[in-house]
Structure formats: C-alpha cells, structure tokens
Amino acid sequence: MKKTKLVFCIMLFLLLAIVFLIYYICIALTWKKWDGTYVFYGGMLYSSNEQYNGIIDLSEERVSISDRLQKEISGIDIKECYPDQIVLGKTTYFLLYRQSDGSGDAKIVQYDYQSVKKREYMAQNTSVLNYKNGYLFMGNRKGEGEDSYGFYANNYIKEEDFGQQPQQLKQDDSRKSILGNIELYYHKDGYFSTEPSLNDYPGLSSDSFRFTDKNFNAETKQEIKNRRLLLSEIGNIRDAVYEVFEYQMGNDIYGLCNVYEEGKYIPSLPQESKDVKTVYFYKISPKENKISILLKKSSCLGLILSNYEAVYQEGSRIIHYDFQTGKEKEIYQINNEHNLTLYIKKDYLIVIEEKKRILAAIFPTNESVYSVIKWKNFLQA
C-alpha cells in the first residue's frame, strides 16, 4: 500500500513538473515575441520646426510639445481620442482626426504652443496635413502621409486664416502649381506633390511579401517593377520574407529590404536585428529600369537611407554609414534592445526607450543651415 502511494506521488510530481515546464516555455516564448524594436515610418506621429518638437506619444496617451533640448513646454492628454497626425506650424500646431465613418472627412484642431485650443475645422475628403512656408496643406490621397522627402496636397490655407474655407490647388500649363517658392507637380491620380510623377509610383512604398505572393503584394505597376528588379539582384528565396521600405527622391527611388527566414517575421510584432538574415540598401532609376545595391549587411535591421548615408541597428547599437567615406559610426547606444520604439521621418530618428525620448538628426538636409549644424552637433555628441 505504501509502495503504491509512493509511486502515485512520484507520478503526480512528474506530471506537475511537466505541466510547469510547458507553462514556463509557453510564457517565455510569448514574452519573447514582444521583444525587439517597433519601427514606424512616415512621420504622422511626429513633427518639428526650428523651435519645437511635437509627438503623439501613444504609450503615454499624450501629445507632447518640447523645445529643441527635449524639455516639454506643454501637452494634452489624448486618452479619449487619439489623433492621427500632428503638424507644427510657425506659431501654432495642428492635430488631424480622421473620421471613422468612411466618409474620408477629418477634423482639424489648431493649438498655440501652450496647447491652448484656438480653432477647429471639419475638412472634407482629407487624410493628411503638411505645413510649409506659412501654409497648411491638406491632401486626400489614401495611404501614407508623405512622399518621404516631400509631400502631397490638394488644398491649402494660410496659417493665420485657418478656420476659413481652404483654397484648391490648380495646375498651370506646365502641369504644376506654384505657391510662393513652393513648386508642386500634378499627378494623374488627382493630387499635387513636391515630387515629379514617376509612372504610377505613389511616392512612398512599404510592405512585406514572399516570392510566391501575387504581384509581390504591390499595388502599382512601378512597385511591381521595383520588387522584381530587387529580387533579380539579390536572388529569390522561396521561404524568405522580404520587408521593404522605399521613397521617391526626385527621379530616383531609394529603398531598403530586410530579409527574414520563414518564421522570423511577424508584421504586428517588434523585430530583432539578429533575426534579419541580410539587409540591402538600394537605389532604383525607373527611367533606366536599373537597380544598384548601395550597401549589404548581415544580422542588422535596416532603418533608412538617403543618397549620402544609411542607418541600421546592430544589436544594442544604431549605426550610421557614410557612402562617401565608407566609414560607419555608432550614433546611439541602446540600453534595452528588447524594448525599443523608433519613429523615422525624413532626416529625424526618434528613439523612445524606457519612456525616455531622444531626438537624433540622421541625415543632413539642404533646407537650412540649422539642420546642418544640428547634424554636426549630433554626430559629435
């Protein structure tokens, strides 16, 4: 009898040990899936000018306005309703709230830099805002908010006149719309952009696809051509997942492609640089139907590039690579590479790590001397 009880106790202990082991493994794997880096492109959640930075901080449920030293000067809580975009003007900033009823309309709210509400306007058929040289531009094209180094629009209004009826952009004989020193090109899909028309290319393209996916998950003919050119250059791997981010800059297209082995990439979850088999940085010349590989790295998460530099994450380091000198430089040391969020917009990289916001200028621009000084100061920091 005692022997039977002993055997029973041993079997019960082993059973509990197995259950505990399975539970531990499942929990560990679940938490492991949430490790890594979230990367957001397009700049809808971030905007800046020469004095202020503005960010829609989803983790803190707050819109935050800070100075160039990242000291918050004002903000508003957004727990009740999250805005879709923030745009900074000269004396005020704007929040865009897209309507969820499918109408395409949007509410635009204007605040001063103490986050005091000034005006509100219901804009018809509006999905994105941009600000330049005293004008607020409104665009109705579906998809991303920017053409990366430019923007698109249909209507405009002066910042001080906000709340009145916006003016519609109209094309001249050269199929352009010129507003002061701002030159916008008309596109056949019915919008204006700071970038010239490249067939049916939308200006900004990002997605993941497999070699076997129909049209490589692309929506336009030019995107299909781009991905076919890319695969012809780097090779087709049947079980691989290709994550691409491209943008138009003048008459060329710049892009990066993170290549993952099957099972290493889940679109809605953060990514780890060690899971990237290879990242390719490339340039496409559509008129010549030609692709050039600018840089190739292994076990690195590609972030962004221009015709001057590339930026990528390697483990706990964010690295800048200069195409002219062929040298790389560590520009940020990550404290916790398993819990990182990056916002990427034009020449900015916003790092959010353990609720600590750090603004980093990644690419120099020709827009102002201020940007170049900011860039030099950053690299020397």
Side-chain angles (χ1 to χ4, degrees), residues 14 26 30 44 61 76 102 126 147-148 153 160 200 206 226 255 267-268 271 287 291 296-298 324 337 358-359 381:
L14 291 175
C26 290
T30 300
M44 298 286 282
E61 297 183 315
I76 59 173
T126 299
D147 294 334
S148 195
E160 61 266 29
D200 59 352
S206 60
N226 291 353
S268 60
Q271 309 304 323
K287 292 184 178 180
I291 185 172
K296 172 184 175 182
K297 300 292 291 185
S298 300
Q324 294 180 331
E337 62 184 283
I358 296 175
L359 175 63

Side-chain angles (χ1 to χ4, degrees), residues 134-299:
Y135 293 96
L136 179 69
F137 291 90
M138 307 171 193
N140 61 21
R141 198 189 74 191
K142 295 180 179 179
E144 298 291 343
E146 305 185 33
D147 294 334
S148 195
Y149 273 78
F151 64 87
Y152 68 88
N154 299 86
N155 304 303
Y156 69 94
I157 193 167
K158 288 185 177 180
E159 181 177 9
E160 61 266 29
D161 295 335
F162 180 77
Q164 301 178 24
Q165 183 70 25
Q167 301 295 310
Q168 187 175 0
L169 289 167
K170 296 181 180 180
Q171 58 178 312
D172 57 21
D173 294 338
S174 61
R175 298 179 66 81
K176 296 180 182 178
S177 182
I178 299 176
L179 195 63
N181 63 350
I182 306 171
E183 188 175 65
L184 300 169
Y185 299 85
Y186 180 75
H187 288 238
K188 63 182 180 180
D189 288 336
Y191 62 90
F192 291 84
S193 172
T194 50
E195 304 301 316
S197 178
L198 281 181
N199 303 320
D200 59 352
Y201 191 70
L204 190 69
S205 176
S206 60
D207 209 339
S208 61
F209 66 92
R210 292 174 172 80
F211 170 67
T212 54
D213 288 337
K214 182 179 179 181
N215 293 331
F216 313 120
N217 276 351
E219 296 183 1
T220 67
K221 292 180 181 179
Q222 186 60 52
E223 288 175 293
I224 295 173
K225 288 181 180 179
N226 291 353
R227 295 177 190 184
R228 186 174 288 124
L229 274 174
L230 176 64
L231 292 178
S232 68
E233 185 70 22
I234 68 177
N236 304 328
I237 305 174
R238 176 166 292 274
D239 295 329
V241 177
Y242 302 88
E243 181 194 31
V244 295
F245 174 76
E246 294 178 344
Y247 67 88
Q248 180 182 344
M249 189 175 183
N251 291 313
D252 295 315
I253 295 170
Y254 290 85
L256 63 88
C257 177
N258 292 307
V259 183
Y260 298 85
E261 294 181 355
E262 181 70 27
K264 295 287 187 179
Y265 176 81
I266 302 176
S268 60
L269 296 181
Q271 309 304 323
E272 293 188 86
S273 58
K274 65 181 181 61
D275 290 334
V276 180
K277 184 176 181 180
T278 311
V279 57
Y280 297 90
F281 297 89
Y282 58 90
K283 172 186 174 182
I284 292 177
S285 301
K287 292 184 178 180
E288 301 174 7
N289 198 34
K290 179 183 177 182
I291 185 172
S292 302
I293 302 298
L294 305 177
L295 183 65
K296 172 184 175 182
K297 300 292 291 185
S298 300
S299 299

